[in-house]
Amino acid sequence: MPDKYHIKTQPIPPRRPRIGKVGVVDWREDCANCHNCVKKACVFDRYREEMSYIRGLREMDAVFFQCMGCFSCVQQCTKGLLALSANPVYERLGNTYWTPQIIETTWTQAESAKIPVSGAGYRGRFSGPGFDSMWTDMSEIVRPTRDGIHGREYISTAVDIGRKPALLHFDAGNAASGLPPLVDIPMPMIIDMLPRGYRLPNLLPVIKIVAAQTGIIAVIDSKDWQLAGNDLDQYLPNLAMYLDTSAPLPGRELLIGMRLVEISDDGNAERRVHELKQINPGIVVAVRVELDSGGIERAVEYARQPFVEVLHLVADDNGNEIGEKKPRFIKDMVRSVHNSLVESGIRNEVTLMAGGGIALAEHMAKQILCGADLVTVNLPLLIALECTLCRDCNDGLSCPAKIGEIDIKYGVGRMTNLIAAWHDQLIEVMGAMGIREVRRLRGEVGRALFFEDLEEATFGKLFGSRKNN
Amino acid sequence: MASSLVPEKIIKEGLPDSTLETVVPQAEVQRVIKPAPPRYRNEIAKYIIRRSADCKLCGKCAEICPQGVHVFKPGYKYFAAPHQSVCIGPACKDTGHYCVDLCPNKALRMVENPMMRVLGDYRWTPDLILATWKMAETGAPPPPDYGYEYECGNSGGGFDRIRFKFPASPPLELGPDDIDTSLQLNRRNDGRPQIKIDVPWYGGGMSYGSVSNVTQLSKARAAVAFNTFTCTGEGGYMERLRPYDDHTITQVATGLFGVREETIQRVRIVEFKYAQGAKPGLGGHLLADKVTPSVARMRETVTGISLFSPFPFHSVYSIEDHKKHMDWIKHINRHALVSAKVSTPSDVDMVAVGSYSAGAHIVHLDGGYGGTGAAPDIAKKNIAMPIEYAIIKVHDFLTREGVRDRITLIASGGLRNAHDIAKAIALGADGVVVGTGELVALGCLRCARCESGRGCPRGIATTDAELQGQYTVEWGSQRIINLYNAWRIELVEILRRFGMRRVSELRGRTDLLMHLDYSNDTEQAR
């Protein structure tokens, strides 16, 4: 049996107290001190844990929020003194896109490396904006394979990054032109640069190890390169340098070691590619296209150029079109680039990486269904380190999560756990879809259900046109 | 299509008739509605009255309140804890006995319970949970006084945005007794028994392991009282369920846990579980902690080891394989109807027709937002379509194929109350399967901890000996009977307002519905 892609993980507990969704409000006055205190009866033993937690505190740093929200103590207290309340700290986590639920589940995955599992049915809204307006399909009988308990063992998540020629030319039986270089990574994910403002100097050494351990690639800005540490040689295959317009060409020894490099989409892109290829013909060059109002057109235009191998389409942190009042969402923008490349018959020749707003494992699967070959991820890895996206660091304030002080083992462990959990979840949805290779998931809208289409085909037929609200 | 089936008389060669008779005397449960008060000391109320230090203990509030919220026992110096949950809230203002206004010392204040914010979720709003509890307590829809908004959830789509267009007055005056809510389950005319249930719903499959046997038995007794069915789920068939054989569906799911020919012969309906809405395409998962010795014995497995039901049936990779499966069951139990429970992929309409041609009597669609004892969060939210779409698709497709009246279409996956049931039927289902609603009647509040550690802290979805002792079968069955009764009253009321004599008249009547997000100006909508 060939080697399977497997990410080694181990549980990495959080450094800070957990922030739960609900807390218990306890009016101790009027307590009858009865001997059958419901606190002793807590099924999850939370009160005892809270006591020992508080006992161990040197300073009051946070409130203990480990309540599971079952209401049993509230409903059983002899005097009815207990109440549950929404935790305001929890509700302040993140922002409207990076919701408290997203932050919480990211933390859990970064701790345990496991697929989050819970009881009871789905609790959320019927559908929503962005990635919530689509579902992945499943198949009643089609499986990836007939083997294995679930067939999951045989699902491949590997992708190739680079240009794939539509046809090969032969000259007297020999290939007339060499094959363009390809980078293959075991999972359709690349670690993108953190947004400016979040680029803490101690994160790059962590990220480079994570990329190497998981076999994926991390993009690092050439301006920050020095921060990644001195021992970069062994990590070069898992690093991709980003060169913006003004960045000088990196040294030969770096370029020889790297497999992927990324450049900005200014007018010099073609010249840049040639310069880079001259030093290392085996390197793959990605062109980073920021998805602003003209982003889609530029991307499609680039894809037609023979020198372009990979396009990295980047929306803003929330997956929105950059700088627009009524922005389109990343999944729709990538879908439109994908579709127009399909129409021109050149989709297979370029690789599309898409980033911005990829917050959950399901977004990875959905983005690929909408036409990306792979996704790029940044903020979730930061959230894995217990960041709450409070943006204090952007304003020059000190980080409440003290991310500047983390040790390497913690950082690497948490990020690796998150990536492993995402990988497992990707396999889970692919298993349900009956798709054996993530390469085939790309643009496979036959395995996706879109809110608009379903509404139109069912309610639209019955009830007329949908109101815009 | 039907002609491709093996004729019944050929199958009959197999087993002697005597093996198929019910051998255990069947339990009788009367459909009696009696109060089943909540089992917790402090109920959660929508509105609470706060008493300030200005109270002079005059006792006037206790005197005037017809609900008995304030408890001032003779001989006691202070008020006892109030019965907050019977307070009808601001609706009381116009009744002439509003304690807040009448208190001579202005010591009372009414506030909406802040805990309502942490109770429930978008699909099961706090009002819906409280109303369901009230129905399970009293056996009737909660009086409008309480101000519960329980006809819809707050999910912003699907059933929650669909409303009935009731006529100003019923086209036909009917009394509640003139209205028939029964549902015929066998429409194939294949010589198998006609099974009629009194209400157009039956209980969903919950295995022993995912829920306690108290829960299973409570569901079974309610099913007997309403002449409908409950389902064993995939986890074996408890001996204690035998007196309810005639109202039990046994499930044959991919793990085949506890499935024996003998258990298949006990029942009148056998259900093939191909997939479950909450985790379509993934198979089942019983976490290790819930595999207690008794669960392990029932499932013939090892204590403390997680159990996976694979996906899919490894013997079914085509409609032909599916037919072979059906024939196997039909051969083993020649009196049983067969149901195929499937999830809702984009080709659900083809799957439904396939099930019909393979010989199913019932095709049961379990939508993406359905219940579960444990499922990956990514699956609950993202895989397969919500049931609302699937009902419309399948009903249309079966109609166009000309087989709609030869198969019973059952929908499930997020149906929470009588209004959802009626809407599902109006969209095209014949009947529905309910699950979470029954558990809420038993005291579930959807804290989503069914899977953690020893299981449900409320003692419903657990096999922990201590936790499952929190309520008795008697109480549990009364709660579900009460809930069923309240639902039936509401369903009858809906039919009465439309002037319909039978629930079957409602099926597919999308012209009686409107969708709040749509223009509602199509031919049929007018």
Side-chain angles (χ1 to χ4, degrees):
Chain A
M1 192 158 140
D3 269 358
K4 295 290 168 200
Y5 176 54
H6 176 73
I7 304 175
K8 279 209 183 91
T9 59
Q10 57 174 7
I12 306 280
R15 293 166 297 135
R16 312 174 72 203
R18 293 184 171 87
I19 300 177
K21 199 172 174 182
V22 285
V24 179
V25 182
D26 182 353
W27 276 283
R28 295 189 192 211
E29 64 180 73
D30 210 20
C31 171
N33 285 316
C34 64
H35 292 291
N36 37 12
C37 185
V38 289
K39 295 181 184 178
K40 284 187 217 151
C42 175
V43 175
F44 304 105
D45 212 13
R46 287 304 184 238
Y47 288 95
R48 224 183 302 264
E49 286 175 18
E50 182 184 13
M51 292 274 272
S52 62
Y53 169 74
I54 292 171
R55 215 173 279 135
L57 280 184
R58 267 171 293 167
E59 52 182 320
M60 192 64 188
D61 61 345
V63 190
F64 182 89
F65 292 118
Q66 291 282 301
C67 172
M68 307 286 265
C70 76
F71 282 78
S72 300
C73 60
V74 172
Q75 292 200 264
Q76 284 171 328
C77 171
T78 356
K79 301 274 278 180
L81 301 177
L82 303 173
L84 291 195
S85 115
N87 178 0
V89 181
Y90 176 85
E91 290 183 330
R92 277 203 304 274
L93 293 176
N95 54 43
T96 48
Y97 185 82
W98 299 83
T99 58
Q101 289 90 324
I102 292 180
I103 303 224
E104 189 195 25
T105 184
T106 305
W107 285 348
T108 328
Q109 293 170 51
E111 176 177 354
S112 67
K114 286 186 178 147
I115 300 175
V117 171
S118 64
Y122 174 59
R123 307 161 65 79
R125 301 194 49 99
F126 186 82
S127 67
F131 287 116
D132 288 346
S133 67
M134 65 182 286
W135 294 272
T136 66
D137 202 4
M138 58 84 69
S139 167
E140 293 292 347
I141 48 180
V142 179
R143 291 297 89 201
T145 71
R146 289 190 178 205
D147 309 308
I149 293 182
H150 298 79
R152 286 178 175 86
E153 302 80 19
Y154 288 90
I155 296 176
S156 160
T157 55
V159 283
D160 304 310
I161 307 171
R163 192 167 183 90
K164 291 145 204 150
L167 37 100
L168 298 172
H169 298 280
F170 288 90
D171 187 9
N174 299 314
S177 51
L179 287 174
L182 280 183
V183 175
D184 82 67
I185 54 173
M187 172 176 180
M189 176 204 273
I190 273 188
I191 304 176
D192 199 9
M193 300 174 281
L194 286 166
R196 286 264 158 232
Y198 287 115
R199 296 191 188 172
L200 299 170
N202 66 330
L203 291 182
L204 289 179
V206 173
I207 288 174
K208 79 181 176 203
I209 301 176
V210 172
Q213 275 190 2
T214 53
I216 61 176
I217 290 179
V219 181
I220 295 179
D221 195 333
S222 64
K223 294 193 177 72
D224 299 332
W225 194 259
Q226 300 305 326
L227 302 172
N230 301 322
D231 57 339
L232 283 182
D233 291 357
Q234 52 170 318
Y235 296 108
L236 285 177
N238 297 101
L239 298 180
M241 186 184 275
Y242 172 68
L243 304 164
D244 69 10
T245 318
S246 60
L249 215 55
R252 185 187 157 73
E253 63 290 353
L254 283 180
L255 280 180
I256 295 290
M258 281 190 289
R259 295 186 289 167
L260 180 70
V261 66
E262 186 164 302
I263 60 173
S264 62
D265 75 343
D266 50 51
N268 293 328
E270 183 164 8
R271 188 174 49 82
R272 273 272 157 130
V273 173
H274 288 305
E275 286 170 1
L276 291 161
K277 292 269 184 186
Q278 225 156 31
I279 301 173
N280 178 2
I283 205 164
V284 175
V285 186
V287 180
R288 186 181 186 95
V289 181
E290 307 265 333
L291 291 173
D292 46 30
S293 59
I296 294 179
E297 289 70 36
R298 286 209 309 286
V300 172
E301 193 45 46
Y302 270 114
R304 294 179 203 286
Q305 309 292 328
F307 71 89
V308 173
E309 299 164 299
V310 181
L311 284 173
H312 183 186
L313 310 174
V314 191
D316 71 9
D317 293 347
N318 300 345
N320 287 328
E321 195 170 356
I322 297 167
E324 284 291 300
K325 276 218 181 76
K326 282 195 171 167
R328 286 172 288 181
F329 192 68
I330 177 86
K331 84 173 206 301
D332 306 313
M333 293 191 282
V334 171
R335 206 175 161 195
S336 108
V337 172
H338 169 80
N339 284 343
S340 93
L341 299 187
V342 170
E343 274 159 31
S344 322
I346 53 169
R347 176 62 189 90
N348 281 330
E349 296 178 29
V350 284
T351 304
L352 292 183
M353 317 199 290
I358 309 291
L360 294 166
E362 67 212 50
H363 298 170
M364 174 166 60
K366 288 178 175 178
Q367 186 62 80
I368 294 172
L369 281 168
C370 287
D373 289 282
L374 65 154
V375 297
T376 65
V377 175
N378 49 14
L379 287 179
L381 297 167
L382 187 64
I383 298 171
L385 308 178
E386 294 175 71
C387 172
T388 63
L389 297 185
C390 68
R391 303 184 66 87
D392 280 5
C393 53
N394 285 240
D395 303 333
L397 301 172
S398 71
C399 172
K402 300 195 174 75
I403 290 176
E405 297 167 21
I406 57 161
D407 66 42
I408 296 266
K409 186 174 171 242
Y410 164 88
V412 171
R414 298 275 293 193
M415 287 188 186
T416 308
N417 284 353
L418 182 68
I419 294 172
W422 279 33
H423 180 250
D424 286 349
Q425 289 174 80
L426 177 64
I427 288 186
E428 203 83 352
V429 286
M430 285 174 66
M433 283 186 268
I435 287 194
R436 190 174 171 172
E437 278 190 75
V438 80
R439 294 183 184 96
R440 293 194 195 172
L441 189 64
R442 185 255 278 154
E444 183 51 278
V445 286
R447 282 266 161 262
L449 304 156
F450 292 95
F451 175 74
E452 297 81 10
D453 301 348
L454 283 172
E455 287 276 315
E456 177 61 37
T458 54
F459 296 146
K461 217 167 58 187
L462 299 175
F463 304 120
S465 51
R466 193 173 163 85
K467 296 182 211 160
N468 288 320
N469 46 0
Chain B
M1 290 271 190
S3 60
S4 70
L5 287 173
V6 181
E8 197 70 18
K9 62 176 194 297
I10 297 180
I11 299 176
K12 274 196 174 159
E13 307 295 313
L15 295 158
D17 258 350
S18 62
T19 60
L20 305 174
E21 276 164 20
T22 302
V23 283
V24 175
Q26 292 296 289
E28 277 186 40
V29 183
Q30 296 306 316
R31 195 184 301 179
V32 178
I33 310 307
K34 10 177 221 224
R39 60 190 159 101
Y40 286 96
R41 185 182 179 92
N42 309 314
E43 268 187 80
I44 301 171
K46 186 171 180 181
Y47 297 100
I48 49 181
I49 309 273
R50 296 245 162 95
R51 182 181 299 277
S52 78
D54 294 336
C55 173
K56 299 277 189 291
L57 301 166
C58 68
K60 171 130 193 197
C61 50
E63 229 167 78
I64 54 167
C65 179
Q67 270 77 29
V69 173
H70 306 281
V71 186
F72 198 42
K73 293 182 195 154
Y76 283 80
K77 197 171 161 199
Y78 295 106
F79 280 90
H83 296 312
Q84 306 276 22
S85 68
V86 293
C87 174
I88 61 170
C92 187
K93 273 180 188 152
D94 310 323
T95 58
H97 31 69
Y98 185 49
C99 58
V100 175
D101 286 347
L102 296 177
C103 173
N105 302 305
K106 299 278 169 258
L108 299 176
R109 198 156 55 89
M110 178 181 288
V111 292
E112 187 168 335
N113 191 342
M115 276 198 295
M116 297 290 277
R117 276 195 60 212
V118 277
L119 183 67
D121 49 69
Y122 288 112
R123 296 198 65 81
W124 276 86
T125 57
D127 278 20
L128 187 45
I129 293 178
L130 295 184
T132 306
W133 284 350
K134 200 58 98 181
M135 289 190 251
E137 179 183 347
T138 61
D145 286 354
Y146 283 103
Y148 293 143
E149 289 165 24
Y150 69 94
E151 292 176 7
C152 290
N154 189 26
S155 74
F159 291 132
D160 290 349
R161 301 296 286 167
I162 294 174
R163 299 288 184 275
F164 279 109
K165 294 187 293 189
F166 288 111
S169 60
L172 186 66
E173 281 300 336
L174 295 168
D177 295 337
D178 306 330
I179 294 169
D180 174 14
T181 56
S182 69
L183 171 65
Q184 194 65 253
L185 293 177
N186 182 6
R187 293 152 196 248
R188 288 195 83 96
N189 197 17
D190 61 351
R192 296 208 167 222
Q194 297 294 317
I195 296 180
K196 199 176 190 183
I197 53 179
D198 287 357
V199 284
W201 66 79
Y202 54 84
M206 295 180 207
S207 63
Y208 176 56
S210 74
V211 297
S212 70
N213 58 27
V214 184
T215 307
Q216 276 201 331
L217 289 169
S218 301
K219 279 163 47 98
R221 291 181 64 84
V224 176
F226 276 83
N227 182 30
T228 180
F229 283 84
T230 184
C231 177
T232 59
E234 183 199 25
Y237 198 129
M238 281 191 302
E239 285 304 305
R240 289 177 66 185
L241 265 179
R242 303 265 353 234
Y244 310 99
D245 281 350
D246 285 350
H247 295 276
T248 299
I249 298 172
T250 194
Q251 206 173 62
V252 178
T254 53
L256 298 175
F257 290 120
V259 174
R260 297 196 304 272
E261 293 197 349
E262 184 257 326
T263 60
I264 288 168
Q265 288 168 359
R266 290 178 187 175
V267 295
R268 296 198 290 160
I269 303 179
V270 180
E271 175 174 292
F272 274 107
K273 183 175 110 174
Y274 278 85
Q276 183 176 342
K279 40 190 166 185
L282 298 181
H285 185 185
L286 187 67
L287 284 99
D289 285 340
K290 287 178 89 170
V291 186
T292 58
S294 58
V295 172
R297 200 163 48 244
M298 182 75 75
R299 299 192 179 207
E300 299 170 43
T301 61
V302 181
T303 308
I305 303 282
S306 286
L307 297 179
F308 289 91
S309 299
F311 187 88
F313 277 111
H314 285 317
S315 43
V316 180
Y317 286 90
S318 66
I319 290 296
E320 292 73 25
D321 289 345
H322 176 46
K323 178 171 183 325
K324 177 192 70 190
H325 240 182
M326 298 262 174
D327 290 347
W328 162 52
I329 294 296
K330 286 184 168 180
H331 181 69
I332 293 172
N333 183 340
R334 286 180 285 116
H335 294 282
L337 306 189
V338 182
S339 161
K341 175 178 178 181
V342 296
S343 179
T344 50
S346 54
D347 56 353
V348 59
D349 38 7
M350 302 299 288
V351 172
V353 166
S355 283
Y356 167 75
S357 29
H361 299 90
I362 299 169
V363 59
H364 170 183
L365 312 174
D366 194 20
Y369 293 160
T372 176
D377 291 346
I378 190 170
K380 287 200 235 175
K381 179 176 168 202
N382 297 302
I383 307 180
M385 63 173 96
I387 190 65
E388 291 90 333
Y389 301 135
I391 299 174
I392 301 174
K393 278 184 81 145
V394 172
H395 173 70
D396 275 5
F397 194 66
L398 291 172
T399 309
R400 268 184 283 139
E401 293 287 303
V403 298
R404 181 63 189 88
D405 288 325
R406 277 180 272 161
I407 189 154
T408 306
L409 177 61
I410 296 287
S412 70
L415 295 134
R416 299 151 295 185
N417 56 28
H419 293 266
D420 284 355
I421 294 172
K423 286 172 194 168
I425 294 173
L427 287 178
D430 289 297
V432 306
V433 162
V434 292
T436 306
E438 298 171 327
L439 300 190
V440 172
L442 297 176
C444 165
L445 37 68
R446 283 176 56 86
C447 66
R449 307 296 181 188
C450 334
E451 87 303 345
S452 46
R454 296 153 69 196
C456 170
R458 318 268 302 179
I460 302 161
T462 180
T463 46
D464 181 272
E466 184 190 349
L467 290 176
Q468 66 172 313
Q470 290 184 33
Y471 65 92
T472 61
V473 173
E474 197 184 5
W475 181 86
S477 23
Q478 191 60 54
R479 294 279 286 192
I480 299 177
I481 289 172
N482 287 354
L483 178 70
Y484 278 7
N485 196 58
W487 281 356
R488 188 173 181 281
I489 293 173
E490 292 204 291
L491 182 61
V492 164
E493 174 62 13
I494 291 170
L495 297 173
R496 189 195 66 79
R497 290 177 70 182
F498 283 123
M500 291 180 179
R501 283 181 189 280
R502 278 173 294 276
V503 70
S504 53
E505 289 174 38
L506 182 62
R507 188 190 81 192
R509 289 296 299 275
T510 46
D511 57 314
L512 303 177
L513 298 171
M514 63 170 294
H515 193 302
L516 298 182
D517 296 334
Y518 282 82
S519 55
N520 297 301
D521 56 0
T522 50
E523 189 91 344
Q524 68 126 30
R526 278 190 224 111

